[in-house]
Amino acid sequence: MNPGRILVVEDNPKNLKLVRDVLRFSGYEVIEATSGEDGVRLAASEEPDLILMDLQLPGIDGAEALRRIRASERTRDVPVVAVTAFAMDHDRERAFASGFTGYVEKPISIRRLPEQVRDFLRLGGAP
């Protein structure tokens, strides 16, 4: 059984591959987007259970993509987790203040990521 459908919005090909491979190995279905605009579009069309969103993206950034996702009735309740290399406390606070469900720091821990995703899905009410 598929534990969840995850949309990963990441413009760095190496980071995208790492997250995709770790999540697929853990049984998740992974949808990929490389820009904020594609992330917003795929959130609406693919109905993910969770979105992992890089904050620094080409075009619209992660915060603007989140704003657009939250503005749509179809996607407003999908948990969206900020993924960023910024590791200062005020960056984490800013992510939560922007409406992100959670926060994952880069570099991604391949050991912790599947557990973090499970926790975010549980908090977000997904299967």
Side-chain angles (χ1 to χ4, degrees), residues 48-49 69-70 72-80 101 123-126:
D49 298 310
I69 288 167
R70 292 286 185 250
S72 169
E73 189 171 319
R74 185 173 196 159
T75 56
R76 75 171 36 126
D77 295 327
V78 177
V80 183
T101 307
L123 289 172

Side-chain angles (χ1 to χ4, degrees), residues 53-67:
M53 177 87 65
D54 187 14
L55 294 181
Q56 301 295 314
L57 294 165
I60 64 171
D61 66 10
E64 176 59 21
L66 174 68
R67 190 192 67 71

Side-chain angles (χ1 to χ4, degrees), residues 81-113:
V81 175
V83 181
T84 184
F86 301 128
M88 307 301 270
D89 285 339
H90 67 275
D91 294 315
R92 182 184 303 252
E93 292 167 8
R94 191 175 357 192
F96 284 119
S98 296
F100 283 94
T101 307
Y103 186 93
V104 173
E105 293 177 11
K106 293 178 184 176
I108 299 291
S109 166
I110 59 174
R111 288 184 176 190
R112 291 192 59 227
L113 183 62

Side-chain angles (χ1 to χ4, degrees), residues 2-9 19 23 28-32 39 42-43 46-53 69-70 75 77-83 100-104 113-127:
N2 185 329
R5 189 169 219 214
I6 313 300
L7 171 58
V8 179
V9 186
V19 172
L23 292 179
Y28 293 98
E29 179 181 349
V30 178
I31 306 156
E32 302 172 30
L42 288 171
E46 299 296 322
E47 300 179 357
D49 298 310
L50 176 73
I51 301 170
L52 297 177
M53 177 87 65
I69 288 167
R70 292 286 185 250
T75 56
D77 295 327
V78 177
V80 183
V81 175
V83 181
F100 283 94
T101 307
Y103 186 93
V104 173
L113 183 62
E115 180 182 330
Q116 290 171 309
V117 166
R118 262 191 311 276
D119 290 346
F120 290 129
L121 285 168
R122 207 171 301 123
L123 289 172

Side-chain angles (χ1 to χ4, degrees), residues 5-22:
R5 189 169 219 214
I6 313 300
L7 171 58
V8 179
V9 186
E10 170 64 66
D11 64 317
N12 180 299
K14 290 181 181 179
N15 290 341
L16 180 59
K17 180 183 181 340
L18 174 69
V19 172
R20 177 191 65 223
D21 291 352
V22 168

